[in-house]
Amino acid sequence: MSSPSKKYRRLLKYIDSDDLDKIKHVIRKYEIDNLNVKVSGNGSYLIHYASLNGSLECIKYFIEEGVDLGVVDDDLCMEKNPSCLDKENCQGQTPRALLSSLHEREAEEPVSGADAEREWREKLADECMNDYNLNWGDYEEDFNQCNRPSNRYETNDQWADRIHREYRKKTYTSYQRTSKPKRSEQESSSSKSSKSAKRDREKAEKKKQKEKNLKEEILTHKRSLQYVIICFNEYEAKWSEFMKTDETSTLLVRHIPWPSDEIWSYFEQHRSKMDESDYKKLLREQQIRWHPDKFEQRFGVRLQPSEKEFVLQRVNDISQKINNIMTSFQSQ
């Protein structure tokens, strides 16, 4: 498969950061009406890419839009990748061993003719479906452990988004109840109706202002110093794990720990909080890490051919952004 088009590259970028508003904007801008498309060389679909990156809001949105949840990528397609039959799950079992045990169980209770074939196919389908539902994702755990966020606890972003949705739902319902004047009151007194409409407008304006203040509070929370420090430490930990990966393995877009918006906020906030030498050292490390030539020299041979152009272009954009921060700092 060729590299994703411009509109899908932007879509993948916002899926990485789980930014639902920007994803909807891209879909409207480019009039994307088909979300069941492959976006990587191994046959992964958009729903797969969002799942592997732990983008929960994107997954919910795709499901609401009616994406096909039964699609599989080439890694799980036995016709294109027969070796998947020998991959072990977390219990040390392989699909081939499970199929063999099922076949031996059937051999103990032989049934003749077409009934035997039909019963065998039904039991095989049930066993495969049960095993898939119980162990979904276990075969990809090694690839995604460093990129998949923990779902045990609600993150700061999830908490902020949930509070915002509940607040909007509550205020919108309350506004609907108070903004509909009774028909009898409109007919009986025009002056009373005018005053009631004025009060309703004032209440609506106050609620809009509260909603705006809440949005600003949420954005401030997301960009708070403590939060971006946590994000930066997680980013550095993921990079350390990434550097320990097998040098012979193939690299995909989702395997690379890209810097998120919080990382750029970290560089901006610490410009005045760190010593000049320490801040320059921090930026210099990032310049070396994301230097296009050095990155291609170190990882170029491992990149998936169909994604190589997209990865190198993204690395070049990050390098330019870091260089601009360094230039701005030195010119002060």
Side-chain angles (χ1 to χ4, degrees):
M1 175 183 175
S2 59
S3 59
S5 60
K6 179 180 179 181
K7 59 184 179 181
Y8 287 111
R9 288 201 302 269
R10 289 196 175 184
L11 204 57
L12 294 178
K13 176 182 177 181
Y14 297 136
I15 289 176
D16 283 339
S17 57
D18 202 14
D19 194 330
L20 187 56
D21 292 336
K22 292 184 178 178
I23 288 174
K24 292 181 179 179
H25 173 72
V26 171
I27 292 176
R28 289 194 300 268
K29 179 178 179 181
Y30 293 100
E31 297 181 354
I32 300 175
D33 56 359
N34 181 19
L35 298 177
N36 294 310
V37 293
K38 295 182 178 181
V39 294
S40 67
N42 68 340
S44 295
Y45 290 76
L46 283 174
I47 187 68
H48 296 151
Y49 189 85
S51 299
L52 293 174
N53 284 277
S55 304
L56 300 180
E57 295 301 323
C58 297
I59 295 173
K60 294 177 182 178
Y61 174 70
F62 288 157
I63 293 175
E64 292 174 357
E65 291 298 313
V67 298
D68 187 1
L69 301 180
V71 294
V72 297
D73 58 20
D74 294 346
D75 287 341
L76 294 179
C77 181
M78 290 187 291
E79 293 181 358
K80 297 181 180 180
N81 187 13
S83 62
C84 69
L85 288 174
D86 297 315
K87 292 184 179 180
E88 295 184 352
N89 59 14
C90 59
Q91 285 82 28
Q93 300 171 320
T94 64
R96 191 185 303 277
L98 292 173
L99 291 174
S100 298
S101 63
L102 183 61
H103 180 70
E104 293 174 357
R105 191 187 309 168
E106 282 294 319
E108 296 176 357
E109 300 177 0
V111 183
S112 59
D115 293 338
E117 179 67 18
R118 183 172 58 257
E119 187 175 354
W120 160 253
R121 290 181 179 273
E122 292 177 354
K123 289 185 177 181
L124 177 60
D126 291 339
E127 288 293 335
C128 290
M129 183 58 67
N130 290 336
D131 186 66
Y132 181 83
N133 292 333
L134 291 174
N135 304 297
W136 183 84
D138 289 346
Y139 299 112
E140 300 172 343
E141 187 66 27
D142 293 338
F143 286 103
N144 306 318
Q145 187 172 3
C146 62
N147 288 329
R148 183 182 300 164
S150 174
N151 294 325
R152 294 174 56 194
Y153 305 104
E154 187 177 38
T155 65
N156 290 332
D157 286 349
Q158 293 170 346
W159 171 84
D161 292 339
R162 178 173 61 80
I163 294 299
H164 180 58
R165 287 195 303 271
E166 293 177 356
Y167 177 80
R168 288 198 61 182
K169 181 179 179 181
K170 180 179 180 181
T171 55
Y172 180 74
T173 303
S174 176
Y175 172 70
Q176 280 190 323
R177 289 198 302 266
T178 59
S179 62
K180 294 182 179 179
K182 295 182 180 179
R183 188 175 183 84
S184 60
E185 292 179 355
Q186 288 180 329
E187 295 174 350
S188 63
S189 174
S190 59
S191 60
K192 184 177 180 180
S193 176
S194 177
K195 292 180 180 180
S196 176
K198 183 178 179 180
R199 287 196 299 268
D200 291 340
R201 288 195 299 270
E202 291 175 351
K203 289 181 179 180
E205 290 175 357
K206 289 181 180 179
K207 289 173 182 177
K208 287 182 180 179
Q209 185 63 36
K210 289 182 179 180
E211 184 177 345
K212 181 179 179 181
N213 294 338
L214 180 61
K215 287 182 178 180
E216 294 176 354
E217 181 180 353
I218 292 173
L219 290 176
T220 302
H221 175 74
K222 287 184 176 180
R223 298 295 180 268
S224 64
L225 181 60
Q226 182 179 5
Y227 178 73
V228 298
I229 290 175
I230 295 174
C231 292
F232 181 81
N233 292 335
E234 292 178 351
Y235 162 72
E236 289 295 313
K238 289 180 179 179
W239 184 265
S240 299
E241 291 294 327
F242 172 72
M243 294 299 295
K244 297 177 183 179
T245 57
D246 187 3
E247 296 181 356
T248 61
S249 62
T250 301
L251 290 179
L252 302 177
V253 175
R254 65 175 182 268
H255 297 157
I256 302 172
W258 304 102
S260 61
D261 292 341
E262 287 75 15
I263 304 306
W264 302 116
S265 298
Y266 179 90
F267 294 146
E268 180 180 355
Q269 293 178 3
H270 282 70
R271 175 181 294 186
S272 59
K273 297 182 180 296
M274 297 177 64
D275 293 335
E276 181 177 350
S277 58
D278 293 337
Y279 188 74
K280 284 185 177 180
K281 181 180 178 181
L282 173 64
L283 293 181
R284 183 57 182 163
E285 291 176 352
Q286 298 298 319
Q287 284 180 319
I288 296 174
R289 176 181 297 178
W290 297 105
H291 191 281
D293 295 336
K294 295 183 181 297
F295 188 94
E296 184 175 8
Q297 182 181 3
R298 179 180 293 178
F299 305 108
V301 295
R302 297 174 56 191
L303 293 175
Q304 180 76 18
S306 60
E307 298 181 352
K308 184 174 182 179
E309 181 181 354
F310 173 76
V311 170
L312 295 181
Q313 179 61 43
R314 190 169 179 182
V315 170
N316 186 64
D317 294 341
I318 294 173
S319 178
Q320 291 180 359
K321 194 168 184 179
I322 296 173
N323 291 338
N324 291 337
I325 296 175
M326 176 66 85
T327 302
S328 174
F329 178 75
Q330 292 177 343
S331 62
Q332 290 183 346

